Amino acid sequence: MNILVTGGAGYIGSHTCVALLEAGHTVIVADNLINSKAETLERVMQITGKDIIFYQIDVTQAAAVETLFAKHSLDGVIHFAGLKAVGESVDKPLAYYYNNIVSTMVLAQACQKYNVPRFVFSSSATVYGENKVPFVETMKLLPTTNPYGETKAISERILTDVVNANPQWSVALLRYFNPVGAHESGLIGEAPTGIPNNLMPYIAQVAKGKLDKLRIFGNDYPTVDGTGVRDYIHVMDLAEGHVVALARMSAGVSIYNLGTGQGTSVLELVESFVAANGIEIPYEIVARRPGDIAKCYADVTKAKKELNWSTTRNIMDMCRDAWGFEKNYKD
Ligand code: NAD
Ligand code: WQD
């Protein structure tokens, strides 16, 4: 199939390009490189030995998007492009609402106009808010504590309404849990600018000596050891989930949790990183981070049953591959 991957130069997008190319698809990437580098796409081509067609465009710009749709006969769109820093979204709500929602609308409109049958959307476990774990697709979404989360809930709603009006269209809303790790080659991975907000890249930079120690946000949560519990998923498992969803999606809206179904605490992740890589990670316990919840993990029954998809990589693989990328990465 001819697949447009928006945000394809980014962290999850680039790994999904690898999985798509390896499955035999033709990949067209649209990315404005606001949070990524074109070099990542060269590395994807190096890993796969296959070409990518690249447009450096902003997907909120309808004219540029339409030019692309007119040129390529697309079979599907995977829409990763978006701003994703939760804290930044509190300071810059308009940038987040504009970028994340307008991009979804512009792409949905282009799909309608050019009869592109499949649309896969990057949603997030954050839409479950303070529901009880494990999170199930049928749960009523609860308000999130930040504009970023709201952009995901609103985009889901917009796409659902468009399908209600056009029931022949196929939309998959994929709710990712905590993607971590990197491609096994170490050539592509997660390279946040500045000090990482997320746990795994922070640990990897402590391992490298770039940061002095990890600060663990709270050890008084009602969890196995008091630290926050999350459902970490290897980014290549997540990438492969997209390829499967594209192949199996049918008319209407389908919602899938993409996670492992297993919760891991912050301390357990640190211990696994030390065991996988033989590098000590100094840490201190500090106050809870505002907005954090105690536990977040998926019920993955639906993806297993309907997509016949489940993860194959474990926490040790995630820690090994995160370090495999970070140790060679040059800013
Ligand atoms: P990323 O920042 O690495 O990738 C996003 C890409 O989109 C970047 O390459 C960026 O340059 C591009 N982009 C942003 N706005 C654009 C625009 N208007 N036009 C064209 N390109 C644009 O982020 P990621 O971690 O790969 O996340 C991909 C998607 O998955 C995002 O929508 C994110 O919200 C969602 N998501 C991420 C996580 C996570 O923890 N990483 C979890 C759940 C959902
Ligand atoms: C994981 C755990 C922290 C950093 C975020 C977004 C979510 C989704 C995925 C996009 C928590 C603890 C972290 C640190 C720490 N993104 N931690 N010290 O918050 O679960 O999810 O990324 O959709 O929307 O909110 O991920 O990696 O930031 O935190 O102790 O320096 O690690 O408190 O328990 P989170 P995270």
Side-chain angles (χ1 to χ4, degrees):
M1 291 196 271
N2 288 340
I3 305 299
L4 171 63
V5 182
T6 76
Y11 173 46
I12 305 170
S14 57
H15 290 79
T16 304
C17 287
V18 170
L20 286 165
L21 290 166
E22 283 176 347
H25 298 292
T26 298
V27 172
I28 299 124
V29 166
D31 198 307
N32 63 0
L33 304 181
I34 196 170
N35 196 36
S36 54
K37 295 183 185 136
E39 189 195 338
T40 301
L41 295 174
E42 284 160 25
R43 289 176 173 223
V44 170
M45 294 190 268
Q46 186 186 337
I47 291 167
T48 58
K50 294 184 178 166
D51 286 338
I52 286 177
I53 303 162
F54 175 48
Y55 290 84
Q56 188 174 342
I57 58 168
D58 182 332
V59 294
T60 64
Q61 302 298 308
V65 167
E66 285 214 18
T67 305
L68 186 158
F69 273 66
K71 207 158 169 191
H72 298 277
S73 174
L74 297 175
D75 299 294
V77 174
I78 309 182
H79 180 30
F80 291 106
L83 302 175
K84 65 161 180 178
V86 169
E88 186 185 58
S89 79
V90 177
D91 297 330
K92 299 180 180 168
L94 273 176
Y96 273 70
Y97 282 113
Y98 188 86
N99 199 59
N100 292 4
I101 294 171
V102 173
S103 61
T104 302
M105 289 174 57
V106 162
L107 289 160
Q109 224 155 15
C111 284
Q112 300 296 297
K113 183 165 172 185
Y114 290 88
N115 291 317
V116 178
R118 297 171 191 82
F119 193 94
V120 177
F121 178 66
S122 295
S123 191
S124 167
T126 198
V127 298
Y128 290 111
E130 301 224 12
N131 270 295
K132 279 219 169 75
V133 286
F135 296 149
V136 189
E137 290 88 343
T138 47
M139 281 174 166
K140 192 172 158 48
L141 302 190
L142 293 181
T144 61
T145 52
N146 58 78
Y148 166 75
E150 291 305 307
T151 69
K152 293 297 172 191
I154 294 167
S155 293
E156 284 200 6
R157 180 63 202 266
I158 291 170
L159 291 167
T160 304
D161 286 344
V162 178
V163 169
N164 287 339
N166 304 273
Q168 78 291 350
W169 202 36
S170 300
V171 168
L173 306 174
L174 304 183
R175 295 179 180 157
Y176 313 155
F177 281 68
N178 287 55
V180 294
H183 187 262
E184 290 79 354
S185 65
L187 286 171
I188 56 171
E190 188 170 14
T193 46
I195 296 176
N197 297 311
N198 298 116
L199 181 60
M200 185 68 101
Y202 203 107
I203 293 175
Q205 291 195 16
V206 171
K208 204 175 185 179
K210 254 180 106 175
L211 296 168
D212 63 341
K213 62 184 162 194
L214 172 67
R215 283 161 190 83
I216 296 182
F217 299 138
N219 65 349
D220 56 352
Y221 285 106
T223 61
V224 58
D225 55 24
T227 64
V229 163
R230 298 291 181 270
D231 185 341
Y232 297 97
I233 172 171
H234 195 294
V235 66
M236 283 310 299
D237 276 327
L238 183 62
E240 288 158 13
H242 288 73
V243 178
V244 174
L246 256 186
R248 297 199 172 224
M249 60 199 288
S250 52
V253 177
S254 21
I255 305 177
Y256 295 107
N257 285 339
L258 297 187
T260 63
Q262 300 292 318
T264 302
S265 75
V266 176
L267 282 172
E268 286 169 341
L269 190 68
V270 171
E271 278 161 21
S272 299
F273 192 96
V274 172
N277 299 311
I279 304 170
E280 282 308 314
I281 303 295
Y283 65 82
E284 65 172 330
I285 308 289
V286 299
R288 290 181 179 192
R289 182 171 64 178
D292 274 355
I293 54 174
K295 296 181 198 168
C296 170
Y297 54 89
D299 181 318
V300 291
T301 314
K302 191 174 176 213
K304 243 184 220 161
K305 195 170 156 214
E306 292 184 12
L307 298 177
N308 195 22
W309 171 87
S310 52
T311 57
T312 60
R313 297 158 179 92
N314 62 24
I315 288 281
M316 294 291 271
D317 300 325
M318 300 179 210
C319 292
R320 184 199 60 220
D321 293 337
W323 177 236
F325 173 71
E326 182 63 41
K327 70 180 178 205
N328 294 322
Y329 178 71
K330 292 184 188 65
D331 283 312

